[in-house]
Short mmCIF file of all heavy atoms in Angstrom, two decimals:
data_model
loop_
_atom_site.label_atom_id
_atom_site.label_comp_id
_atom_site.label_asym_id
_atom_site.label_seq_id
_atom_site.Cartn_x
_atom_site.Cartn_y
_atom_site.Cartn_z
N ASN B 232 10.03 11.37 -5.77
CA ASN B 232 11.42 11.29 -5.34
C ASN B 232 11.57 11.72 -3.88
O ASN B 232 11.02 12.74 -3.46
CB ASN B 232 12.19 12.17 -6.33
CG ASN B 232 13.58 12.47 -5.91
OD1 ASN B 232 13.86 12.77 -4.75
ND2 ASN B 232 14.46 12.41 -6.88
N LYS B 233 12.31 10.93 -3.12
CA LYS B 233 12.43 11.14 -1.67
C LYS B 233 12.93 12.54 -1.32
O LYS B 233 12.33 13.22 -0.47
CB LYS B 233 13.36 10.08 -1.06
CG LYS B 233 13.38 10.08 0.45
CD LYS B 233 14.37 9.06 1.01
CE LYS B 233 15.79 9.55 0.86
NZ LYS B 233 16.83 8.59 1.24
N VAL B 234 14.00 12.96 -2.00
CA VAL B 234 14.58 14.28 -1.69
C VAL B 234 13.59 15.40 -2.03
O VAL B 234 13.46 16.37 -1.28
CB VAL B 234 15.92 14.49 -2.42
CG1 VAL B 234 16.36 15.93 -2.38
CG2 VAL B 234 17.00 13.60 -1.80
N MET B 235 12.87 15.23 -3.11
CA MET B 235 11.87 16.23 -3.49
C MET B 235 10.84 16.39 -2.36
O MET B 235 10.51 17.51 -1.95
CB MET B 235 11.19 15.78 -4.79
CG MET B 235 10.18 16.75 -5.34
SD MET B 235 9.62 16.17 -6.98
CE MET B 235 8.04 17.03 -7.09
N ALA B 236 10.38 15.26 -1.84
CA ALA B 236 9.41 15.31 -0.74
C ALA B 236 10.04 15.91 0.52
O ALA B 236 9.39 16.68 1.24
CB ALA B 236 8.88 13.91 -0.46
N GLN B 237 11.32 15.60 0.75
CA GLN B 237 11.99 16.14 1.95
C GLN B 237 12.19 17.64 1.86
O GLN B 237 12.02 18.36 2.85
CB GLN B 237 13.34 15.44 2.14
CG GLN B 237 13.18 14.00 2.59
CD GLN B 237 14.51 13.29 2.75
OE1 GLN B 237 15.49 13.64 2.09
NE2 GLN B 237 14.56 12.30 3.62
N ILE B 238 12.55 18.12 0.69
CA ILE B 238 12.70 19.57 0.52
C ILE B 238 11.35 20.24 0.77
O ILE B 238 11.25 21.26 1.45
CB ILE B 238 13.22 19.93 -0.89
CG1 ILE B 238 14.64 19.40 -1.08
CG2 ILE B 238 13.19 21.44 -1.13
CD1 ILE B 238 15.21 19.62 -2.49
N HIS B 239 10.31 19.61 0.25
CA HIS B 239 8.98 20.17 0.46
C HIS B 239 8.64 20.22 1.94
O HIS B 239 8.15 21.23 2.45
CB HIS B 239 7.93 19.37 -0.32
CG HIS B 239 6.57 19.95 -0.18
ND1 HIS B 239 5.55 19.27 0.43
CD2 HIS B 239 6.08 21.16 -0.54
CE1 HIS B 239 4.48 20.05 0.42
NE2 HIS B 239 4.78 21.19 -0.16
N ALA B 240 8.96 19.12 2.65
CA ALA B 240 8.70 19.06 4.09
C ALA B 240 9.44 20.18 4.81
O ALA B 240 8.89 20.88 5.66
CB ALA B 240 9.12 17.70 4.64
N LEU B 241 10.70 20.35 4.44
CA LEU B 241 11.55 21.37 5.07
C LEU B 241 10.97 22.77 4.86
O LEU B 241 10.89 23.57 5.80
CB LEU B 241 12.96 21.27 4.47
CG LEU B 241 14.01 22.21 5.02
CD1 LEU B 241 14.21 21.98 6.50
CD2 LEU B 241 15.33 22.01 4.27
N LEU B 242 10.55 23.05 3.63
CA LEU B 242 9.98 24.37 3.34
C LEU B 242 8.63 24.56 4.03
O LEU B 242 8.30 25.66 4.47
CB LEU B 242 9.85 24.56 1.83
CG LEU B 242 11.17 24.70 1.07
CD1 LEU B 242 10.92 24.68 -0.43
CD2 LEU B 242 11.91 25.98 1.48
N LEU B 243 7.89 23.46 4.13
CA LEU B 243 6.57 23.53 4.77
C LEU B 243 6.66 24.02 6.21
O LEU B 243 5.85 24.85 6.64
CB LEU B 243 5.94 22.13 4.80
CG LEU B 243 4.82 21.77 3.86
CD1 LEU B 243 4.22 20.45 4.27
CD2 LEU B 243 3.73 22.84 3.79
N ILE B 244 7.65 23.49 6.93
CA ILE B 244 7.73 23.82 8.35
C ILE B 244 8.62 25.03 8.63
O ILE B 244 8.76 25.44 9.78
CB ILE B 244 8.26 22.63 9.18
CG1 ILE B 244 9.66 22.23 8.72
CG2 ILE B 244 7.30 21.45 9.10
CD1 ILE B 244 10.33 21.22 9.63
N SER B 245 9.20 25.59 7.57
CA SER B 245 10.10 26.72 7.81
C SER B 245 9.33 28.04 7.83
O SER B 245 8.59 28.35 6.91
CB SER B 245 11.16 26.76 6.72
OG SER B 245 11.90 27.95 6.86
N PRO B 246 9.48 28.84 8.90
CA PRO B 246 8.74 30.10 8.97
C PRO B 246 9.25 31.11 7.95
O PRO B 246 8.54 32.05 7.61
CB PRO B 246 9.00 30.61 10.38
CG PRO B 246 9.89 29.62 11.05
CD PRO B 246 10.36 28.63 10.04
N LYS B 247 10.48 30.93 7.49
CA LYS B 247 10.98 31.86 6.48
C LYS B 247 11.42 31.10 5.24
O LYS B 247 11.65 29.89 5.29
CB LYS B 247 12.13 32.70 7.04
CG LYS B 247 13.29 31.88 7.59
CD LYS B 247 14.31 32.82 8.21
CE LYS B 247 15.58 32.09 8.69
NZ LYS B 247 15.97 30.85 8.10
#
Side-chain angles (χ1 to χ4, degrees):
Chain B
N232 167 317
K233 189 183 75 186
V234 167
M235 183 173 157
Q237 288 179 333
I238 294 176
H239 183 244
L241 182 60
L242 291 172
L243 254 190
I244 60 171
S245 172
K247 56 184 184 25

